[in-house]
Amino acid sequence: NELMNGINARYELRKSSAKRFIEGRQAAVIVAGKEVGFVGELHPIVLKNFSLEMPCAAFEVKLKEIVV
C-alpha cells in the first residue's frame, strides 16, 4: 500500500491462484485494468524448497508498467 501510494498508483487486488502461494492467501495487483504484479503467503512446499523455517509473504510489482 505504501509503495503504491508513494507513486500515486491506484490499484486493486483480485483473486489469484498461483501455485507458489497458499490458496486464499494471494492476490494479483491490478492497475488500470492490467495485472502488474502479485502478493501472497508462500506455499509450504516453496518454503521447504528454500529451507525457510518460518511462514513468509512475497510480492512483485512491475514498476515499468506503472511509472511513466
Side-chain angles (χ1 to χ4, degrees):
N1 192 33
E2 288 300 315
L3 170 66
M4 300 304 263
N5 287 337
I7 60 174
N8 294 320
R10 292 182 175 249
Y11 72 97
E12 65 179 282
L13 301 176
R14 290 190 189 153
K15 186 176 179 178
S16 178
S17 59
K19 295 190 184 280
R20 64 184 167 263
F21 298 115
I22 296 173
E23 188 66 36
R25 296 186 184 185
Q26 59 180 294
V29 179
I30 310 297
V31 174
K34 185 176 182 180
E35 185 174 318
V36 297
F38 57 81
V39 61
E41 186 175 342
L42 294 174
H43 193 280
I45 293 172
V46 175
L47 297 176
K48 183 178 177 183
N49 287 343
F50 286 95
S51 300
L52 299 170
E53 297 178 4
M54 300 294 287
C56 296
F59 79 96
E60 178 180 315
V61 176
K62 299 173 191 168
L63 293 175
K64 282 184 156 182
E65 303 273 343
I66 304 169
V67 179
V68 177

